[in-house]
Amino acid sequence: MADELDRPDAAMKADPEGRPKGPGHFPEPVAWIAAMREKTGDDRSHEHLKPHRDPLFGTRDRFDVRVRDHSDDYR
């Protein structure tokens, strides 16, 4: 679950050519993912992440809603 947000996080921080809005365009989702990582730490084992289920799923769901509401930003 925690890995699902790694690729979008990296993509939102990147500054690929042709993206007029730039990497600073996504401060909220980047902050949500950072806060989730602060709570969960670096241990990605199932046993460690099990008690962090709410922040993991909450961050994922919040990000999904953001993508649906701003789909033109993620193309």
Side-chain angles (χ1 to χ4, degrees), residues 3-73:
D3 296 333
E4 287 182 30
L5 295 171
D6 286 345
R7 288 181 56 203
D9 187 43
M12 288 185 293
K13 291 176 181 174
D15 192 12
E17 291 182 35
R19 185 182 338 162
K21 297 179 181 178
H25 183 67
F26 305 100
E28 296 92 1
V30 169
W32 302 334
I33 294 169
M36 183 234 11
R37 286 192 178 132
E38 188 174 311
K39 289 178 185 173
T40 61
D42 293 332
D43 185 350
R44 300 285 177 99
S45 69
H46 177 73
E47 288 303 313
H48 173 74
L49 293 177
K50 201 182 328 183
H52 300 287
R53 181 182 170 118
D54 289 341
L56 287 167
F57 286 116
T59 302
R60 181 206 55 196
D61 294 347
R62 200 171 180 190
F63 179 77
D64 287 346
V65 168
R66 171 75 158 76
V67 170
R68 284 193 301 272
D69 289 348
H70 300 87
S71 60
D72 61 317
D73 289 346

